[in-house]
Amino acid sequence: MNIVVSGSLAYDRIMNFPGKFSDHILPEKIHVLNVCFQVDGMQEKFGGTAGNIAYALNMMGEKPVISAAIGRDYHSYFDWFSRNGINIDNIRIVEEEYTAGAYITTDRADNQITGFNPGAMKYSSLLDFEKLSPQETLVIVAPGNFEDMANYPRAFKDRGIDYIFDPGQSLPMWDAGDLAQTIEGCRILIVNDYELDLLMSKTGLTKKALLGMAGAIITTLGEQGSRISTANAETVVPVFPAKEVKDPTGAGDAYRGGLISGIVRGKTLEASARMGSACASFAVERYGTQEYRFTPEEFNRRLNGCN
């Protein structure tokens, strides 16, 4: 089955400030703030929802298609994808923009100042729907270009293509009616517990009503695992213990990759969610969202409870 990952590609530029921001900001002068923090270096990591989910799917042995836009500084990201055997054919290059980028500075007290440039993410990925076979395609619509998130599900429904809707951090941007329309008919709605509450508040819909619109709701619960809700039952899937938790940032996207891999292999939703949880457990063991690796044997051992 063809897997299409619609979302974002981004560079995460991570910097550490060896002091505390508060020592350099005068509260009485906050209205004329002008500060400079000298950092002790920078790390550049590959990120974005589409990149992270595609990486996880690749680790699971799948061959996803990425539908996203990238800027004129695409070369290092494409080189990374090439070295990992990830297809780049459907990624749109926007030469007049830089790739979306987050510039994250963390101080000694774990306070953060982040600047985000959407860059090429402001442009549609221009997905060619005519190339997608309705019976052989599953799409995940993850946070990225907002017009794509709003428009693509309509096209999928018109063509009978299954899609998973993952609104994530885009939720504040949605009109309640458009959001409900996008949820209507999706195979799975996937959110975390905060996002589910926000979604229900925004739309005025109950969870029962949402389950009448989506085939299932998967709610990720961090250290508590995930919850699968259908019209008939609820099931909690536990986390798989990691050897060491270094960075939880990419866990959600890794979970989605493992989940989708299970679905396209014909596994039950619960079995697929367990695969997602196992994949996420490897992601948190490394610093960065696309830094983890595992062999099929290592994955199966963890999935079977042999860490």
Side-chain angles (χ1 to χ4, degrees), residues 34 45 49 53 57 76 95 109 112 173 191 195 225 233 247 252 261:
N34 187 357
K45 301 290 185 179
T49 55
I53 296 170
L57 282 161
S76 60
E95 291 286 359
Q112 287 188 330
M173 302 170 62
V191 287
E195 291 161 355
D247 181 8
S261 180

Side-chain angles (χ1 to χ4, degrees), residues 13-306:
R13 286 151 180 142
I14 303 165
M15 296 158 280
N16 291 314
F17 175 59
K20 293 183 179 180
F21 296 142
S22 58
D23 293 340
H24 299 264
I25 298 174
L26 299 174
E28 67 275 14
K29 296 292 185 180
I30 196 72
H31 61 293
V32 287
L33 186 65
N34 187 357
V35 294
C36 176
F37 301 108
Q38 182 169 316
V39 298
D40 57 4
M42 182 185 79
Q43 295 186 61
E44 183 176 86
K45 301 290 185 179
F46 301 108
T49 55
N52 295 342
I53 296 170
Y55 181 84
L57 282 161
N58 182 65
M59 290 303 302
M60 296 296 299
E62 311 297 342
K63 297 297 180 185
V65 171
I66 296 173
S67 178
I70 197 167
R72 61 176 177 261
D73 53 344
Y74 63 87
H75 303 86
S76 60
Y77 215 145
F78 275 19
D79 179 61
W80 171 251
F81 279 155
S82 178
R83 284 185 280 129
N84 284 278
I86 298 174
N87 188 290
I88 61 172
D89 292 347
N90 290 274
I91 299 173
R92 178 185 180 185
I93 300 172
V94 182
E95 291 286 359
E96 59 268 34
E97 292 278 359
Y98 287 105
T99 301
Y103 300 80
I104 307 162
T105 304
T106 306
D107 76 358
R108 200 174 59 196
D110 288 332
N111 297 303
Q112 287 188 330
I113 296 175
T114 300
F116 180 72
N117 170 35
M121 197 177 77
K122 293 180 292 187
Y123 293 79
S124 170
S125 64
L126 303 178
L127 180 62
D128 186 351
F129 304 108
E130 300 305 320
K131 292 182 178 180
L132 304 179
S133 168
Q135 294 76 30
E136 296 295 327
T137 303
L138 176 63
V139 184
I140 179 166
V141 179
N145 176 266
F146 186 73
E147 285 70 29
D148 288 355
M149 296 187 73
N151 295 332
Y152 285 1
R154 297 191 194 106
F156 298 147
K157 284 186 278 191
D158 288 345
R159 291 165 171 78
I161 297 170
D162 274 352
Y163 69 95
I164 296 169
F165 184 46
D166 174 19
Q169 63 263 38
S170 76
L171 277 171
M173 302 170 62
W174 285 87
D175 168 85
D178 290 341
L179 182 58
Q181 187 179 55
T182 303
I183 294 167
E184 179 76 50
C186 73
R187 180 166 176 172
I188 300 170
L189 170 65
I190 184 166
V191 287
N192 63 32
D193 51 346
Y194 171 79
E195 291 161 355
L196 180 59
D197 288 343
L198 178 60
L199 190 154
M200 290 191 294
S201 174
K202 194 175 188 74
T203 61
L205 296 168
T206 64
K207 187 174 180 181
K208 182 177 180 181
L210 290 171
L211 285 170
M213 300 163 68
I217 299 173
I218 294 181
T219 310
T220 56
L221 307 168
E223 294 178 352
Q224 304 304 312
S226 59
R227 181 174 58 240
I228 303 169
S229 303
T230 66
N232 301 315
E234 281 202 343
T235 305
V236 174
V237 176
V239 298
F240 283 77
K243 293 179 179 178
E244 180 184 7
V245 177
K246 289 187 176 180
D247 181 8
T249 308
D253 289 334
Y255 177 96
R256 286 152 174 78
L259 170 79
I260 294 168
S261 180
I263 292 171
V264 300
R265 296 182 197 185
K267 305 285 187 182
T268 66
L269 201 49
E270 182 178 353
S272 299
R274 287 177 57 84
M275 292 173 66
S277 186
C279 188
S281 73
F282 286 98
V284 302
E285 293 175 346
R286 300 293 298 271
Y287 185 73
T289 58
Q290 298 179 36
E291 302 292 328
Y292 60 98
R293 292 189 178 278
F294 52 77
T295 65
E297 293 75 20
E298 289 170 332
F299 180 83
N300 288 328
R301 282 200 299 269
R302 185 161 298 184
L303 184 64
N304 294 323
C306 305

